[in-house]
Each structure stands twice: as C-alpha cells, then as structure tokens.
Amino acid sequence: MAPGTHDDLIVLRPQGLYCPAGDFHIDPWRPVARAVLTHAHADHARAGHTRYLATAASEGVLRTRLGQGIALQGLAYGEAVDVNGVRVSLHPAGHVLGSAQVRVEHRGQVWVASGDFFASGIDGDINATCAPFEPVRCDCFITESTFGLPIYRWRAQAAVLGEINAWWQANADAGRASLLLGYSFGKAQRLLAGLDAAIGLIVCHGAVEALNEVYRAAGVVLPATQRLDAVSKADLKRAIAIAPPAVQGSAWARRLGEHSDAFASGWMQLRGARRRQGVDRGFVLSDHADWPGLQRAIAATGAERVIVTHGYEAVMVRWLQQQGLQAGSFQTQYGDDAAEAAHETP
Ligand SMILES: [Zn+2]
C-alpha cells in the first residue's frame, strides 16, 4: 500500500501531517484548527494554530516561544485523549525536554509519528536531560531520518563529553576561556549536564539561561551557571561559556577575552564541517538517532509499514524495502538541527 490511500490514519496535506479520522494535524507548518505537537523546536512548533495538544513537559518552552496565552492542552506521557473518536497519546522521544512520539489509534489500527527522536532507550546511551525514547508498537511508523545514512554512527556520549572536559581543562591550564557553541534548547542543557564543574565556572548566554530555567523547573539537574557580566576577568580564564552558534564572532564572544571555541553537533561528523564552521574544535554530539539507532527504533515498533520524513529519505526507504517492509516517504518541511539555529538570536 502506498502512502496516501484513503483509509490511512495519517496523510500528507499542504499544511503538514494530517489525521483525517480525527481532523487534526501533527507539527503542521501552516496555521490549522487543531495541532498536535511533538516538541518545541522551531521547525515543529509554529505559531498561529487555534488549538494545541502537546506534552505537559513541553508546555513551558511552547508558551515562552509561541505566546503565554495559546490554547494548549498538556498531556502526561502515556495519557490518552479522544479526538473526534481517535485515541491520541504521547510517548517519550528522548530528543529534548517534553519531546514526544504521537500514537494514533482508530478502528484497531495504530500509527505512530516519531517527530525528532534520539533512540537512547534502545542503544543504552541516555540523554540525561529528558525522558528516554520508548518504542511504541504500531502498524505504521512515521520516522524522521535526519541522520539516515550509514556514515552516521555516534560514539558513546560519555566519550564525547570526556573529550569536551579534557579540551576545557587544557584551555583552563593555558589560562584561556572555552566557548562551546550548541543550540540553546536541548543541546546546551545536555552539554551542561555533562560538564565537570570542578574545572572552573560555567557561563551561559542569556538565550541558553532562559531555557536552563525551564529545565530546572521541570526537575532536571544542571550545574550552577553564571551570567557573563557576573564573572571576573581572572575567573574567565578558567571558565567555559555555553552559547548558541550565532554568538560566534559577536561582541558577547569578544568579552570572553582570549578563548578557544568549539561546536557540538551531529553535523561535526561530516568531513570539513569544523573548518567551514570556523571553530577550533568540533564535537560530534547529536540529539537525533544515528543510522543504527534509526534501524533499531524502527525494528522495535514491529511496524510492517514505515514512512520516512525529513532527512535522507531515499537511502532509508531503500534499506527498509530491502528488509521486506513496506516503505515510502513524506516530503515534509522540517529542518535539521540547523533549522533551530535560525530561531536563535544572540
Ligand atoms: Zn527537534
């Protein structure tokens, strides 16, 4: 069965993914009456919808970004609601605080739309700053494929975080600050949770600190952080600063004095990415599943049909078909990690 046949639970419409039986959209990119959101990254959570359904854990970030007054119903993970006769529930995706997969059940059929996910619950590598990914059994799984190429295989995050701390320690020993660039929602908090606070002070850019407060309010333990203007010049020489990529070369970055800079992203695995970014170091750390993680996550759903969305769709679809699964793709308007950067102002 090709994507788009009449009894499909989720189809692609110009506004985005759509459930005809329940009359709602999932992460629509154009304004709709009822939007179910997987998470609060800018390319999945747009303003202008009449009503929103999302996890209670993502409510703080969603209201900060889309407006305090939006009509939002927050659900606990696993809590089911009836939307026009369709049973809808949200399940952890392991990507960022509050991120969810959307489970849709109607007339004995179960479909799951993954949103962005990090398959932490399966490969044993946990993103400590959010609920780990939980595979959900379904007939059809709509998966992201941001890093859906065999070249993307993440190393254990403990090894990467160890390298980051070693880089920070070496800079501190040399009397220069460290500037670690990462997206302010999700990546920055994951980096923070892995830093060795014994090395020096941790400074956060305002865009990062605003989200740190939301994470702390949700019960996520992060180390103590400082505002840049509260730290002496002497302390800065041993400090690390966490900031969104847009601050590179800005007045804010110059206030750190002599410093080494680095960028943490899945894209750092690409040859030449560090040089193009113009940073001293690149650390490969992603909040998306890698190629083996995508494969394990898909297998764990037990789905016989898979629809691939944003990323390297063609390669993933071909691989799935070789495994004997029904596979197709939806051309969505979700971005990669970099789409989140466009949302950030230094
Ligand atoms: Zn995302």
Side-chain angles (χ1 to χ4, degrees):
M1 193 165 34
T5 53
H6 68 280
D7 51 355
D8 284 354
L9 266 189
I10 297 170
V11 299
L12 184 64
R13 288 276 177 89
Q15 295 84 1
L17 303 183
Y18 177 66
C19 175
D23 190 24
F24 60 86
H25 288 80
I26 298 170
D27 292 353
W29 43 82
R30 292 192 202 162
V32 300
R34 187 191 288 270
V36 179
L37 299 189
T38 61
H39 67 294
H41 271 152
D43 54 332
H44 290 258
R46 315 249 181 167
H49 308 310
T50 311
R51 279 188 289 178
Y52 293 85
L53 187 69
T55 62
S58 65
E59 189 167 343
V61 183
L62 286 170
R63 289 194 187 278
T64 301
R65 294 187 151 190
L66 304 178
Q68 291 298 325
I70 57 170
L72 170 70
Q73 182 184 357
L75 291 185
Y77 284 121
E79 179 185 357
V81 287
D82 182 289
V83 182
N84 300 319
V86 173
R87 185 181 165 94
V88 178
S89 55
L90 303 171
H91 304 267
H95 175 62
V96 292
L97 182 67
S99 64
Q101 308 168 75
V102 181
R103 182 185 185 277
V104 175
E105 181 178 354
H106 184 60
R107 292 182 178 162
Q109 277 235 25
V110 176
W111 285 43
V112 170
S114 76
D116 290 343
F117 70 94
F118 178 67
S120 46
I122 294 176
D123 61 17
D125 223 3
I126 296 292
N127 177 348
T129 57
C130 63
F133 176 89
E134 283 178 13
V136 180
R137 303 288 295 182
C138 56
D139 300 298
C140 180
F141 186 54
I142 302 177
T143 184
E144 69 133 313
S145 188
T146 303
F147 291 104
L149 283 182
I151 59 163
Y152 292 109
R153 289 167 196 271
W154 311 143
R155 295 165 57 221
Q157 71 175 332
V160 179
L161 293 167
E163 282 181 357
I164 290 172
N165 283 318
W167 166 75
W168 177 19
Q169 180 73 62
N171 289 331
D173 291 347
R176 63 174 171 257
S178 302
L179 172 58
L180 182 55
L181 304 166
Y183 305 122
S184 52
F185 173 35
K187 180 59 56 60
Q189 290 74 34
R190 198 167 156 212
L191 291 167
L192 272 173
L195 290 178
D196 177 1
I199 298 172
L201 293 177
I202 301 171
V203 174
C204 282
H205 185 271
V208 171
E209 191 56 32
L211 287 148
N212 293 348
E213 286 165 14
V214 178
Y215 271 73
R216 288 182 178 121
V220 178
V221 177
L222 298 175
T225 51
Q226 322 287 329
R227 309 288 288 215
L228 178 52
D229 53 16
V231 177
S232 71
K233 277 205 160 65
D235 283 340
L236 271 181
K237 293 181 190 299
R238 294 193 62 83
I240 191 168
I242 310 290
V247 309
Q248 200 181 1
S250 71
W252 193 90
R254 285 193 293 277
R255 283 167 57 201
L256 294 170
E258 189 200 348
H259 64 270
S260 175
D261 55 12
F263 189 40
S265 165
W267 298 114
M268 287 296 116
Q269 183 149 333
L270 282 179
R271 186 187 294 271
R274 182 197 60 77
R275 185 171 34 77
R276 281 193 296 279
Q277 193 76 28
V279 287
D280 301 321
R281 287 291 297 270
F283 296 108
V284 182
L285 190 74
S286 176
D287 302 326
H288 294 264
D290 61 0
W291 174 254
L294 286 165
Q295 294 177 347
R296 278 197 295 270
I298 291 166
T301 66
E304 292 182 353
R305 181 173 167 196
V306 180
I307 298 171
V308 183
T309 64
H310 52 303
Y312 298 98
E313 295 108 339
V315 177
M316 181 56 83
V317 166
R318 195 159 57 241
W319 183 83
L320 291 164
Q321 288 171 342
Q322 286 164 357
Q323 311 310 304
L325 297 171
Q326 294 178 56
S329 65
F330 281 161
Q331 298 300 313
T332 57
Q333 295 188 14
Y334 308 125
D336 44 43
D337 281 346
E340 177 66 6
H343 175 83
E344 298 180 319
T345 45

